Amino acid sequence: MTILGIETSCDETAVAVYDPRRGLLAHLIHSQIATHAPFGGVVPELASRDHIRKLLPMVDGCLAAAGMAGPQLAGVAYTAGPGLIGALLVGATLAVGLATAWGLPAIPVHHMEAHLLAPLLEADRPEFPFIALLVSGGHTLLVEVAGLGRYRILGQTLDDAAGEAFDKTAKMLGLPYPGGPALARLAGEGRPDRHAFPRPMLNRAGLDFSFSGLKTAVALKARELAQHGVLAESVRVDLANSFQEAVVDTLVGKCVRALEATGLERLVVAGGVGANRRLRLRLMDELTARGASVYYPRNEFCTDNGAMIALAGSLRLRPGAAVPARVEARARWDLEELQQPRESLAALS
Ligand code: KG4
Ligand code: ZN
């Protein structure tokens, strides 16, 4: 039942070998940060070209580290969407090519489903049902997860994703790309309550998010406090921390609301912003006080990785699945379109 997982939806090339019984056998992640940093954001064409260069040697290396040969696998899982279409096609064509050559099924995986299942890679794994908060550079979603393929989107961002707000605000404060982690580091030195930035949508019913107004509020305050166009270090740290606190307050508030509205007691957090330490601390405090629990994948599996794709692939592999006839890649793909599999080879617990 060993699955090879391939992820190339954005700016990480990632490969993993996972077995539902033996666990994760090997995984490799190559980040393209250095390639895109000079441009201040991901350049799709450069992303595709770098995936082409890195992917095949990484597949070889990962199989060698797992002590497996391709034809011994049960299937090849790959991210089929959503994501950058050129980048997706690199992983999808290689996955389907390898699966065909090895006589195996290929399993197209939804990137966000893989993110919300990533905590199942850990020893302390959540049982269904749970609420998932997916917070990355491209998405901010609250999802009610009744089981595999049984997803109801409770809320999402109306404009910027949480990670995008971190990145844009970081850029404004003069931090290098990618700004999220750098802003979080800078915030560590500052005061969270120095500026009363808005907690977007928290005072309104519902579970949607909006972060672009908050980003603008920070920009206006930065302009007001700059002297001769320069922000003093003491001003930057307070702006960073007050911004982070506003995002964290909003995310925590909506998570608590989602748990209360559904009566569920487990929260899963995934996506790059899930690595934020202040968010983790606050969620731990708030949920523990309510008798609820919060689950995360380890930090390296919060961001894009092959392990979550291999795991999702193992759960989606149908008995008797055929060798693939076509390559699937979709830039857009609604999570709620997914169905509960009628049968799966891998047991869930
Ligand atoms: O899930 P991910 O690797 O990529 C996708 O967007 O799919 O998430 C990356 C996002 C970026 O916006 C990055 O700035 C943000 O997650 N991020 C953080 C932290 N680490 C990564 N944001 C806040 N605090 C962090 N510690
Ligand atoms: Zn992602």
Side-chain angles (χ1 to χ4, degrees), residues 3-118:
I3 304 286
L4 173 68
I6 292 179
E7 156 64 39
T8 63
S9 66
C10 190
D11 60 344
E12 266 97 21
T13 315
V15 180
V17 178
Y18 171 79
D19 182 305
R21 280 181 296 268
R22 293 185 291 163
L24 189 61
L25 302 183
H27 82 98
L28 293 172
I29 302 176
H30 166 74
S31 163
Q32 299 179 352
I33 284 178
T35 305
H36 303 292
F39 304 94
V42 177
V43 182
E45 180 63 21
L46 295 183
S48 310
R49 286 168 188 260
D50 202 45
H51 287 312
I52 291 172
R53 269 191 296 272
K54 299 287 174 0
L55 187 56
L56 194 50
M58 286 175 69
V59 168
D60 278 343
C62 204
L63 285 173
M68 303 277 303
Q72 293 177 301
L73 298 167
V76 182
Y78 63 97
T79 305
L84 301 171
I85 192 67
L88 287 168
L89 278 165
V90 177
T93 48
L94 183 70
V96 171
L98 290 175
T100 306
W102 293 333
L104 306 174
I107 313 145
V109 168
H110 190 292
H111 183 80
M112 302 313 289
E113 174 173 67
H115 267 307
L116 68 82
L117 296 175

Side-chain angles (χ1 to χ4, degrees), residues 133-147:
L133 172 70
L134 300 176
V135 268
S136 70
H139 300 269
T140 301
L141 285 177
L142 264 173
V143 188
E144 182 180 6
V145 180

